[in-house]
Amino acid sequence: MRILVIGSGGREHALVQALARSPHADALYAAPGNPGTAQHATNVGIASDDFDGLVEFARTEDIDLTIVGPEQPLVEGIVDRFTEEGLRIIGPKAAAARLEGSKAFADQFMERHGIPTADFRVFDADEYDEASSYLEEVGAPIVVKADGLAAGKGAFVCNTLEEAHQALDEIVDDRAFGAAGDQVVIEEKMEGEEVSIFALTDGSHYVLLSPSQDHKPIGEGGTGPNTGGMGAFSPAPIVDGPLLTRICREIVEPTLQGMEDEGTPYTGVLYCGLMITKEGPKVVEYNCRLGDPEAQVVLPLVESDLVEVFDRLADGALETGSLRASSGAAACVVLASEGYPIDYDTGVEITGIDDAESLPEVSVLHAGTRLRPDGVLVTDGGRVLGVTALGTDLPQALDRAYEGVEAVHFDGKTFRTDIGEKGVRHLSEA
Ligand code: AMP
Ligand code: GLY
């Protein structure tokens, strides 16, 4: 099969690497890809928002299946476009991708279908006074969010009312997120540990990838500003068998059923970002794609042939529960540029990747890297690399990943030293 992967981050490197393991992957392309995807696929210089260019490429290269990594093209309707052109593609149509594209839509959808989430209210931008009084009425802590896509920066978890009013001003008055702030969502702050659950679905059937946990804040112990994710591990010991059953019954299945009932069946990857609260699992957010860096740990654990799985998904012929997963564990430690997520330099030379990859079960996934014309690999983003390792259990996967981290060098290399500790804590409590 001839396969095209759209995107250019660590998630897409992980996808291409996992697809390359299949004997059915006769040709693999990444658009635009990165120096990591180039190890397994042919990179083609077409941006992920250039729908005309991507359609033309898929046609002329006889692509059998396109897999979309990031949310933006999904929310903007790339699946609708490819489908209209008679091209096979994995992902939700725009109407279903609203689960990620509009937080107001997602919250109201969950309310309609009795899916557990935070208490919330939605306000239009011209209801500033009402939103402001609602903040006073509920008090802190409280969460204030721009409705639309804001590159992960539109959610403010506020511990004081002052912070909450500032967030409202930023979203509504300053329009810091443009049209994403046409509506503002105010939510109860939920307490607990966050878990990422990915379901691959054809609209009615689904298979789950292994539960994982991300580490969003930049600093040790979960301090400092939120990032795209500083590391991940899978499986997540906090999600035992009974909890997973509950997540399927109370969240995944009602979500798929609800989308089908509303005439917008959800296909592709459904990402349920959950908070495991004292009352049980609740949805923090839906995303319409794999997580990054969670993809880097869940995909290497898949033992089923991923090309076959996506092929069946595209045909609407998945069999629920049919995915085979490794009995081991995976961990990923993100190496970021100094100053990320606020301000950082790029173009810094990177060395030691081969040394890291010569260690047992270590793989270095590229996120923000670029090859200079002279062939030297340099940093090209905030999150630069994801050092990923497999192990028989989580402690071994973590030890191996951190050995890999020591082998890679670039000036300003920044990482958290406590990735996976929350998972190990649950293992020792079990
Ligand atoms: P979002 O932009 O909705 O993905 O939110 C980003 C992050 O903010 C989440 O991963 C959580 O850590 C946090 N967050 C969002 N909503 C809530 C909530 N209602 N309660 C607690 N934390 C939240
Ligand atoms: N790791 C969080 C996300 O992909 O949204």
Side-chain angles (χ1 to χ4, degrees):
M1 215 181 309
R2 299 172 61 75
I3 302 170
L4 169 64
V5 172
I6 295 176
S8 61
R11 166 183 49 214
E12 288 74 28
H13 186 178
L15 257 172
V16 164
Q17 189 184 58
L19 293 166
R21 296 204 309 261
S22 165
H24 302 298
D26 302 315
L28 268 175
Y29 297 92
N34 66 33
T37 61
Q39 294 163 18
H40 313 277
T42 305
N43 285 351
V44 288
I46 308 172
S48 59
D49 61 355
D50 179 3
F51 291 3
D52 289 339
L54 292 167
V55 163
E56 192 191 328
F57 179 82
R59 274 203 191 301
T60 51
E61 290 299 326
D62 282 329
I63 297 297
D64 299 299
L65 193 60
T66 297
I67 300 170
V68 188
E71 63 277 15
Q72 194 82 37
L74 292 166
V75 170
E76 288 171 4
I78 192 166
V79 172
D80 306 66
R81 177 71 194 281
F82 267 58
T83 308
E84 280 157 25
E85 304 271 355
L87 295 164
R88 292 168 88 229
I89 186 163
I90 301 289
K93 289 186 172 174
R98 273 191 302 167
L99 279 184
E100 174 164 2
S102 166
K103 294 182 192 300
F105 173 81
D107 280 352
Q108 288 160 344
F109 169 85
M110 287 186 273
E111 189 170 53
R112 285 196 292 280
H113 296 281
I115 297 165
T117 187
D119 288 338
F120 70 94
R121 283 277 297 274
V122 177
F123 297 91
D124 289 336
D126 62 8
E127 296 176 312
Y128 177 89
D129 292 342
E130 290 86 338
S132 185
S133 327
Y134 182 69
L135 289 179
E136 292 294 327
E137 189 187 315
V138 179
I142 195 159
V143 181
V144 183
K145 298 179 177 181
D147 171 58
L149 289 186
K153 301 195 176 77
F156 297 84
V157 179
C158 307
N159 291 318
T160 64
L161 268 179
E162 193 187 345
E163 282 169 46
H165 283 291
Q166 262 169 21
L168 186 65
D169 286 351
E170 210 170 305
I171 295 168
V172 175
D173 268 358
D174 308 346
R175 282 309 174 103
F177 310 100
D182 284 351
Q183 287 189 307
V184 60
V185 182
I186 300 179
E187 292 177 1
E188 160 205 6
K189 184 185 175 211
M190 296 183 284
E191 301 291 347
E193 263 187 56
E194 285 183 65
V195 169
S196 302
I197 300 287
F198 306 118
L200 307 182
T201 176
D202 59 10
S204 13
H205 315 95
Y206 69 94
V207 293
L208 286 188
L209 299 176
S210 166
S212 58
Q213 286 188 273
D214 185 11
H215 300 69
K216 286 193 174 140
I218 183 76
E220 304 287 323
T223 53
N226 266 352
T227 68
M230 292 300 291
F233 61 91
S234 181
I238 189 175
V239 185
D240 57 13
L243 179 57
L244 192 60
T245 304
R246 199 167 164 192
I247 290 168
C248 290
R249 299 288 170 269
E250 295 178 13
I251 294 167
V252 177
E253 289 163 18
T255 301
L256 298 180
Q257 189 64 52
M259 292 301 280
E260 201 171 350
D261 291 347
E262 295 195 7
T264 50
Y266 191 98
T267 59
V269 183
L270 176 68
Y271 170 152
C272 301
L274 307 182
M275 190 73 82
I276 309 304
T277 72
K278 286 205 186 78
E279 299 95 66
K282 295 187 181 182
V283 177
V284 179
E285 57 168 344
Y286 290 113
N287 293 313
C288 58
R289 51 173 174 85
L290 288 168
D292 186 340
E294 294 97 315
Q296 288 86 317
V297 291
V298 297
L299 293 175
L301 295 175
V302 176
E303 285 186 344
S304 299
D305 185 311
L306 207 55
V307 174
E308 283 178 12
V309 174
F310 281 127
D311 191 40
R312 281 203 299 273
L313 193 164
D315 286 343
L318 270 185
E319 284 165 39
T320 293
S322 61
L323 208 63
R324 270 180 290 116
S326 154
S327 58
C332 171
V333 179
V334 169
L335 304 185
S337 301
E338 189 172 9
Y340 174 74
I342 294 157
D343 190 26
Y344 51 86
D345 290 332
T346 58
V348 179
E349 183 171 346
I350 304 167
T351 57
I353 291 183
D354 289 346
D355 294 335
E357 293 198 318
S358 68
L359 296 165
E361 301 292 350
V362 173
S363 174
V364 180
L365 298 169
H366 292 237
T369 69
R370 145 176 83 81
L371 269 182
R372 261 190 348 215
D374 61 2
V376 171
L377 187 75
V378 296
T379 65
D380 196 34
R383 292 190 295 172
V384 178
L385 296 164
V387 182
T388 302
L390 293 170
T392 51
D393 55 17
L394 179 59
Q396 188 184 44
L398 287 165
D399 284 348
R400 286 174 166 173
Y402 276 111
E403 261 185 71
V405 164
E406 290 311 314
V408 177
H409 303 284
F410 56 89
D411 283 347
K413 176 179 95 171
T414 301
F415 59 95
R416 279 179 59 166
T417 63
D418 62 349
I419 300 304
E421 276 181 11
K422 54 189 173 190
V424 174
R425 219 170 25 245
H426 282 288
L427 283 179
S428 61
E429 283 164 7

